[in-house]
Amino acid sequence: MRRIIVLVESQYQELELWYPLLRLREAGIEAKLVGINVEETFYGRHGFPARAEMAISLINARDFDGVIIPGGFAPDYLRRLPVVLNLVREFYQGGKLVAAISRGPWVLVSADIVRGKRIAGLVSIKDDVNNAGGDFTDLPVMVDGNIITAQGPDYLPFFMEEVLYFLWQNKLCLDRPSPDGWLTDTTGNTVLLSQLCRGKAGVILFFDSVFSPQGTQMLPSYLSLKEEIEKKKGILIPISSDTFFAQREFIEQNNLPFPLWSDSSAQVIKAFGVWDRSYLARWAAFLVDRQGFLRYGEDCPGGDLDNLPGFRRKLESILG
């Protein structure tokens, strides 16, 4: 599961804090309110209260996938705290999400990470951004590498669309437990991915669609891989966002001798970071060991797994 922190301080802008926080949770992402302490109640500009769930001093950037910095006048307090600046800098240097809205980029300026970056925000921060080596833009939302910024609350839907896309297309860290979620077989029965993988090593293969030219060509070619994996008590799990009806039709038309799994809600696809703007999964392969840990993950645009660097070696390692 993706994990994001949302920073809170006094005089935060209510919409810019609560909209992203709730939108992340709605999308199945673990989102935590983080402040300088957990005892204090922080009041927004319009008096709405918020309490931090975790103290910022206890946050390790390695344990989270990014940070969101709401606006209001809270960023002016946050930017004075070295612990905040160090954490934001760590997220940035690690290629993780750093997102800020309206006056939120003040924190990015003080963390010295805007140099050479295009930054959106309230016009009142323009001079700060430019003087720190950034390039202030009056566009509603700006994406520059792993920094996502926006002007203000009017553009929250577009801001969060970019934030979620970044998270869904960003690669998972290996040597962590595999994400989980519900899949549907071709009879309409649902099962958790973790139940399919329980006690088994194998390949989780994401593909765009059974009716794409590549899907039609490549899927039947995985029969030998499936047989090889099953001889060693492993499992091959091909997943797409097609409905189970479409997958069943494809299996019947092509006499495909192994099951496909439907993730029509894209819950699992997004959790693995292979969701595409075309609203389909990207072709990608992941290897999971018998303990349920991810040991390998790579995009495979051509669908040819044997040509993926290190795939064969790692597959043999986890199958034993």
Side-chain angles (χ1 to χ4, degrees):
M1 177 184 288
R2 306 288 176 169
R3 305 181 74 206
I4 297 294
I5 66 170
V6 180
L7 298 184
V8 61
E9 246 293 355
S10 297
Q11 292 295 301
Y12 70 89
Q13 210 283 350
E14 280 87 344
L15 280 175
E16 295 171 12
L17 183 144
W18 290 104
Y19 184 103
L21 184 74
L22 297 176
R23 183 69 187 88
L24 288 168
R25 291 174 176 173
E26 180 184 50
I29 294 165
E30 182 182 344
K32 294 288 188 183
L33 267 185
V34 172
I36 194 62
N37 61 61
V38 295
E39 293 81 20
E40 184 178 351
T41 298
F42 301 100
Y43 291 94
R45 294 188 62 193
H46 303 286
F48 198 82
R51 295 196 67 161
E53 300 165 283
M54 298 181 70
I56 199 162
S57 60
L58 301 178
I59 299 295
N60 189 322
R62 290 177 297 180
D63 298 330
F64 290 86
D65 298 290
V67 57
I68 294 179
I69 307 166
F73 291 113
D76 195 29
Y77 297 115
L78 291 168
R79 70 189 303 196
R80 306 175 195 182
L81 304 172
V83 66
V84 171
L85 303 184
N86 290 337
L87 183 64
V88 170
R89 199 177 296 118
E90 285 180 36
F91 278 122
Y92 171 71
Q93 292 172 345
K96 297 184 176 184
L97 172 72
V98 176
I101 190 164
S102 69
R103 294 183 182 89
W106 262 342
V107 177
L108 281 54
V109 167
S110 294
D112 193 24
I113 62 171
V114 301
R115 195 174 307 277
K117 296 292 184 179
R118 299 189 71 192
I119 302 293
L122 290 183
V123 71
S124 60
I125 71 167
K126 177 179 179 179
D127 291 344
D128 296 297
V129 170
N130 291 339
N131 289 336
D135 180 11
F136 183 85
T137 174
D138 59 1
L139 292 174
V141 179
M142 173 53 59
V143 180
D144 194 336
N146 59 325
I147 295 179
I148 301 175
T149 50
Q151 276 187 16
D154 289 348
Y155 302 104
L156 277 166
F158 309 104
F159 173 72
M160 287 307 300
E161 181 180 351
E162 295 296 344
V163 166
L164 290 170
Y165 178 69
F166 179 91
L167 294 172
W168 290 334
Q169 60 86 42
N170 206 28
K171 281 187 178 179
L172 288 169
C173 293
L174 300 182
D175 303 321
R176 291 184 179 180
S178 169
D180 202 6
W182 292 98
L183 299 172
T184 306
D185 67 17
T186 51
T187 65
N189 293 318
T190 56
V191 63
L192 284 169
L193 176 61
S194 58
Q195 293 174 331
L196 287 177
C197 295
R198 184 170 296 161
K200 297 180 180 179
V203 179
I204 300 173
L205 172 69
F206 293 96
F207 63 97
D208 54 1
S209 173
V210 291
F211 295 117
S212 72
Q214 188 169 316
T216 302
Q217 177 186 355
M218 293 302 301
L219 286 170
S221 71
Y222 296 128
L223 175 59
S224 60
L225 175 64
K226 171 192 175 286
E227 292 174 343
E228 174 190 345
I229 292 171
E230 288 186 348
K231 282 181 182 177
K232 297 189 176 181
K233 309 299 182 183
I235 187 169
L236 171 66
I237 306 175
I239 301 171
S240 75
S241 59
D242 296 304
T243 65
F244 74 89
F245 296 107
Q247 291 184 346
R248 184 168 62 197
E249 181 180 349
F250 178 84
I251 288 172
E252 292 171 352
Q253 288 179 354
N254 293 273
N255 296 315
L256 197 69
F258 56 85
L260 304 176
W261 296 89
S262 169
D263 180 24
S264 57
S265 68
Q267 177 192 19
V268 176
I269 295 169
K270 291 173 180 177
F272 274 82
V274 293
W275 186 236
D276 192 76
R277 286 194 186 276
S278 63
Y279 300 102
L280 299 171
R282 298 197 310 273
W283 282 76
F286 294 85
L287 297 179
V288 181
D289 67 16
R290 289 184 171 84
Q291 289 71 47
F293 280 74
L294 284 178
R295 299 305 185 188
Y296 180 94
E298 287 290 341
D299 285 357
C300 54
D304 186 355
L305 301 183
D306 284 333
N307 282 332
L308 287 179
F311 174 81
R312 271 286 165 188
R313 185 177 66 254
K314 183 60 74 170
L315 177 61
E316 291 169 4
S317 172
I318 66 168
L319 288 174

